[in-house]
Amino acid sequence: MPPSSQQPGTVRPPAGVRVNLYERGLSLELPARWTWNAGLRFVNRVTSRYFLAANGPLTDLAVVPGNGDVDAAVLPAGRVVVAVEESCRITCYGPSTETPLPLDWSAAAPFFGRTLPSDRHELSLAFRLFDQPLFIVARWADDAPAADIAAVADMVRSIRPDPAPPATGEFRGWDGIGPLANIPVGSVTLTPLPTGAIIRPPYRTYDNAPFYLVRGKQGIYAFASRAFFNQSCEIQYDAAADRLSCAIPGRVYEWTRFGTFLGPEPASNLTQHRVIVRDGQVWVRYVEDGMLWPSVPDEAAEY
């Protein structure tokens, strides 16, 4: 079982300090006397670390041979170590949907199944925060102070976006649209960029234009309002025909409301912005669009 902050007889640590992990847009609280480092470090070809803290020095922590991560098997006596990490190959490991807050350390599980001595422990909790899949990993020795072991659950529970996201509007490249319940099924809405939007140079992979927000019976999607590789064609929605289209001299291109190109080739489906639903609120990653996000899995079921 993961260590609990509610264990009988344990003493809660003193009021802590809040540390901001600027790279990931979140913060957490840890005991004031702990040592910590919030700098980005590449642990190995898969793992990046954004935060490392311990109830003692960080400089004497041995690493797993050939891996580079902290080796729980030879953790110094009395030590508790906590890290926030990201693991990615072609894609990143972790939950595919947003994780509700506060995080619950009781759901932690063994970290990649490493075999450890009976008096050393290593657990991790995967979570997803604004489309970032991360792990918080705790390693501790049985002889560590009970209050420090208990502090792990409190630290995990303290994780939150920082700065706090607004109810609607711009947040770190996301556009907060509002409650999903307020967006009618079947609606197609041209949505302007939020006030204070991050405007990047017009690189081909970025879109500084409004987007179409489309809600189907099963999902919600956001499509770029400019078509083609050079974003040269402004897309309009014809409600009577239920088509998205754009015209260039001599030709009109059409797509379904869910971005499927109606031919003939070689033109393609519309590029999408990433859309997430967090705590019932819809967020669109307006600063990026592309074909990397999954297309509509079953378009017929969306009507």
Side-chain angles (χ1 to χ4, degrees):
M1 292 290 289
S4 168
S5 60
Q6 303 297 324
Q7 290 176 345
T10 61
V11 179
R12 285 191 174 273
V17 293
R18 181 156 288 275
V19 178
N20 194 306
L21 283 61
Y22 295 100
E23 291 277 352
R24 299 291 89 180
L26 60 87
S27 66
L28 52 76
E29 188 171 300
L30 68 156
R33 56 186 172 76
W34 280 37
T35 307
W36 57 272
N37 186 324
L40 171 63
R41 181 180 184 276
F42 297 104
V43 175
N44 51 51
R45 288 183 294 178
V46 174
T47 303
S48 300
R49 181 189 298 142
Y50 297 98
F51 174 77
L52 182 66
N55 65 341
L58 300 178
T59 54
D60 63 348
L61 299 174
V63 300
V64 178
N67 176 285
D69 214 344
V70 175
D71 191 349
V74 292
L75 205 64
R79 196 68 55 85
V80 180
V81 180
V82 176
V84 176
E85 299 181 343
E86 176 184 66
S87 293
C88 304
R89 288 186 184 271
I90 297 175
T91 60
C92 294
Y93 303 105
S96 59
T97 58
E98 293 292 297
T99 307
L101 296 178
L103 299 179
D104 182 4
W105 182 240
S106 68
F111 191 49
F112 292 119
R114 293 172 180 161
T115 301
L116 300 174
S118 60
D119 61 346
R120 295 293 186 270
H121 308 277
E122 180 179 58
L123 294 178
S124 72
L125 180 67
F127 64 100
R128 196 177 192 95
L129 186 65
F130 278 93
D131 212 33
Q132 302 173 112
L134 299 167
F135 293 85
I136 185 161
V137 186
R139 302 169 174 97
W140 71 97
D142 275 349
D143 59 354
D148 288 343
I149 297 175
V152 174
D154 294 332
M155 197 180 308
V156 170
R157 190 182 302 109
S158 74
I159 290 176
R160 68 188 186 204
D162 197 339
T168 59
E170 207 288 324
F171 177 70
R172 293 175 58 87
W174 294 89
D175 184 7
I177 304 299
L180 177 64
N182 291 351
I183 302 172
V185 173
S187 62
V188 180
T189 307
L190 181 62
T191 306
L193 296 182
T195 301
I198 300 169
I199 303 298
R200 291 175 166 175
Y203 298 144
R204 292 173 178 173
T205 55
Y206 298 139
D207 189 4
N208 292 333
F211 52 86
Y212 281 97
L213 190 68
V214 181
R215 185 173 183 188
K217 289 183 177 179
Q218 297 186 346
I220 186 165
Y221 310 90
F223 298 97
S225 64
R226 293 177 182 168
F228 310 138
F229 188 61
N230 62 359
Q231 302 184 3
S232 61
C233 198
E234 296 285 346
I235 297 171
Q236 307 294 323
Y237 176 64
D238 184 337
D242 193 21
R243 292 288 186 269
L244 293 162
S245 66
C246 76
I248 60 174
R251 184 167 180 183
V252 175
Y253 295 87
E254 290 188 315
W255 297 263
T256 70
R257 72 164 71 171
F258 293 105
T260 302
F261 182 59
L262 294 174
E265 299 298 342
S268 63
N269 297 343
L270 292 179
T271 57
Q272 296 185 52
H273 298 275
R274 179 73 167 148
V275 181
I276 63 171
V277 179
R278 181 167 188 85
D279 299 326
Q281 305 289 311
V282 176
W283 295 88
V284 176
R285 185 67 173 170
Y286 70 87
V287 295
E288 298 172 322
D289 73 272
M291 303 296 290
L292 298 178
W293 292 276
S295 58
V296 181
D298 185 355
E299 184 165 336
E302 296 287 359
Y303 287 96

